[in-house]
Amino acid sequence: MDELNKVEQLSVGDELTGKVLKLEEKHAMVDIGYKVEGILPISEISNLHVEKTSDALSVGEEITVRVKKVEEEEVILSKRLVDAEKTWTELEEKLSSGEVFEAEVKEVVKGGLVADVGLRGFVPASHVEAFYVENFEEYKGKTLTFKVIELDRDKNRVILSHKAVVEQTKGQQKQELLQKIKEGDVLEGVVQRITDFGGFVDIGGIDGLVHISQLSYEHVDKASDVLTEGEKVKVKVLSVDRDTERISLSIKDVLPGPWDEIEKKIQPGEVVEGTVKRLVNFGAFVEVLPGVEGLVHISHIADRHIGTPNEVLEVGQIVSVKVLDVSEENKRMSLSIREVEMDKNKKELEQYQRDSDQGTFSLGDVIGDQLGKLKE
């Protein structure tokens, strides 16, 4: 049969296997087994934009094409239509199964990215990451994991999401972690969010709350005073509620305790300043170091008998106290205000006696001066 007659038997829509013979600037010539070579325009090579035919094809390569147009001595082919049909079927299966797959980001466009999935797969800006992205240029040329979230053949629409993959992975990690962690575990995390009542720390796919009371041994007015977003912190797991997926954490519990090595910091006989924190019937509790309170027994508050501590003390008052006894093991410290006063009086008496011995002044001089002032 004459080759030209055979060409006339070709119909639009026929699928053929051919070999690339030549690459021109705007098209490729393809041997399709007939005397007339098939013409594959650059626009019909791929569903994505192709700058040069050599970017997508190579001489000698076997390709499957579809007949798009038949004329007397010319056959126009399309590889794009064959690839698209195959790709649509694959993408529909991926959408149905929720399969995660890889694809290269080819372009950065208004409102998102374009990925090569055999078709133009559009990734909306809100589906690129689970966090806000300011500059998308760094994604061009990268290979990312995606899920198909929407398909519409009639509108040639393919919508992809990398964010969905990230969230799915985080969800899996979260469940694994929830089953794995237990009370008492010490972990490293990153501060994600700071609130009025504490801070949320990511401990590897799930956030746990460090309540403001668990931030420090010292009193904390605002969590932001001691925490910074993005900061790495060590935390101890206080509790895990797998049903509500709530985890309570503590930073305080992994810090050196205020009573640790207290006997090296403060020793019996020392006089230190402290703040009256609480008044009770039997005495007053005075904070001498952050988180360290000692008891001033009522008998050691004043050098005279008092009925209740609030006769001479009030909460918030700064006082000098003498350390009588300290125990790291029992976290107890005995203090005295009375002995500070007694020591002070003793020193003043000793100073007076020294001054008297040196003839600096006499008791009569002091009394005389005072009497003189009264007569005036």
Side-chain angles (χ1 to χ4, degrees):
M1 184 182 291
D2 187 86
E3 292 289 341
L4 286 178
N5 289 337
K6 284 173 67 178
V7 168
E8 288 174 3
Q9 291 177 359
L10 288 173
S11 302
V12 171
D14 287 352
E15 280 194 13
L16 308 167
T17 298
K19 183 181 288 187
V20 178
L21 296 176
K22 191 176 182 184
L23 297 176
E24 302 285 358
E25 184 181 352
K26 296 296 182 183
H27 66 271
M29 301 304 295
V30 182
D31 178 3
I32 52 175
Y34 297 94
K35 185 175 182 180
V36 176
E37 293 169 355
I39 301 171
L40 178 61
I42 194 169
S43 60
E44 293 297 326
I45 292 176
S46 171
N47 288 283
L48 297 172
H49 176 70
V50 176
E51 286 285 342
K52 297 183 295 184
T53 55
S54 57
D55 290 341
L57 298 172
S58 55
V59 173
E61 179 183 357
E62 276 200 355
I63 57 175
T64 301
V65 291
R66 182 174 295 174
V67 177
K68 194 172 182 185
K69 185 178 179 183
V70 180
E71 293 185 349
E72 216 172 281
E73 295 187 14
E74 189 176 77
V75 179
I76 306 298
L77 307 171
S78 175
K79 179 176 178 292
R80 177 181 65 84
L81 292 175
V82 176
D83 292 345
E85 184 64 36
K86 181 183 176 184
T87 300
W88 276 114
T89 301
E90 291 173 349
L91 290 174
E92 283 166 354
E93 290 173 357
K94 285 179 168 64
L95 175 63
S96 177
S97 66
E99 180 186 338
V100 174
F101 58 94
E102 290 186 343
E104 184 182 346
V105 176
K106 289 292 188 181
E107 300 175 56
V108 176
V109 295
K110 185 178 179 181
L113 308 172
V114 172
D116 179 7
V117 290
L119 297 166
R120 282 175 63 89
F122 180 61
V123 189
S126 60
H127 278 275
V128 175
E129 295 286 2
F131 52 86
Y132 174 73
V133 178
E134 190 170 344
N135 183 11
F136 289 104
E137 286 300 327
E138 62 185 39
Y139 286 88
K140 189 173 182 179
K142 276 190 175 182
T143 298
L144 298 177
T145 49
F146 294 104
K147 288 181 79 171
V148 180
I149 59 172
E150 185 184 334
L151 289 177
D152 190 326
R153 278 206 194 202
D154 294 335
K155 295 180 180 178
N156 202 35
R157 179 188 293 170
V158 178
I159 308 297
L160 308 174
S161 175
H162 175 61
K163 175 184 174 181
V165 178
V166 172
E167 290 181 339
Q168 177 179 308
T169 303
K170 287 184 76 173
Q172 291 169 348
Q173 290 174 340
K174 184 176 180 179
Q175 291 306 313
E176 289 171 8
L177 188 59
L178 272 170
Q179 298 307 314
K180 181 180 176 183
I181 62 171
K182 60 186 182 300
E183 183 180 325
D185 285 350
V186 175
L187 309 166
E188 194 170 83
V190 178
V191 178
Q192 294 294 314
R193 216 162 28 97
I194 298 172
T195 68
D196 292 338
F197 51 85
F200 287 93
V201 177
D202 180 358
I203 51 174
I206 186 169
D207 289 353
L209 172 65
V210 182
H211 190 267
I212 195 166
S213 63
Q214 293 295 325
L215 291 174
S216 173
Y217 284 104
E218 299 179 47
H219 174 72
V220 177
D221 289 318
K222 295 186 299 181
S224 56
D225 289 341
V226 293
L227 289 181
T228 306
E229 286 188 6
E231 175 187 4
K232 286 185 178 180
V233 291
K234 193 172 283 187
V235 293
K236 183 178 180 180
V237 179
L238 298 181
S239 65
V240 181
D241 188 327
R242 293 180 175 82
D243 293 331
T244 60
E245 298 184 353
R246 287 182 180 174
I247 300 173
S248 296
L249 305 171
S250 174
I251 291 175
K252 181 176 75 174
D253 281 6
V254 295
L255 297 174
W259 287 89
D260 291 354
E261 300 188 332
I262 191 67
E263 292 166 17
K264 291 182 181 178
K265 301 172 189 173
I266 294 181
Q267 296 174 350
E270 279 190 60
V271 175
V272 295
E273 274 199 345
T275 305
V276 177
K277 288 293 185 179
R278 288 177 292 144
L279 297 175
V280 292
N281 291 333
F282 53 86
F285 286 95
V286 176
E287 186 179 56
V288 293
L289 286 173
V292 176
E293 292 182 6
L295 172 65
V296 182
H297 191 268
I298 192 167
S299 62
H300 277 274
I301 288 177
D303 56 4
R304 67 183 191 280
H305 175 74
I306 59 172
T308 59
N310 56 17
E311 288 180 28
V312 291
L313 295 176
E314 59 183 28
V315 173
Q317 183 179 344
I318 306 297
V319 292
S320 291
V321 291
K322 187 175 185 178
V323 180
L324 302 179
D325 183 55
V326 59
S327 171
E328 178 182 339
E329 183 181 352
N330 298 315
K331 293 184 172 58
R332 286 182 184 173
M333 187 182 297
S334 297
L335 307 171
S336 176
I337 296 173
R338 186 189 72 185
E339 290 207 13
V340 174
E341 291 300 317
M342 288 172 63
D343 289 346
K344 182 180 176 185
N345 292 338
K346 186 179 178 182
K347 284 181 182 178
E348 287 177 352
L349 179 59
E350 289 172 351
Q351 182 64 47
Y352 165 72
Q353 289 174 338
R354 282 196 298 272
D355 291 342
S356 295
D357 292 342
Q358 293 169 7
T360 307
F361 58 82
S362 66
L363 183 58
D365 293 335
V366 175
I367 295 172
D369 289 344
Q370 296 300 323
L371 287 173
K373 288 179 181 177
L374 287 172
K375 287 176 182 179
E376 292 175 1

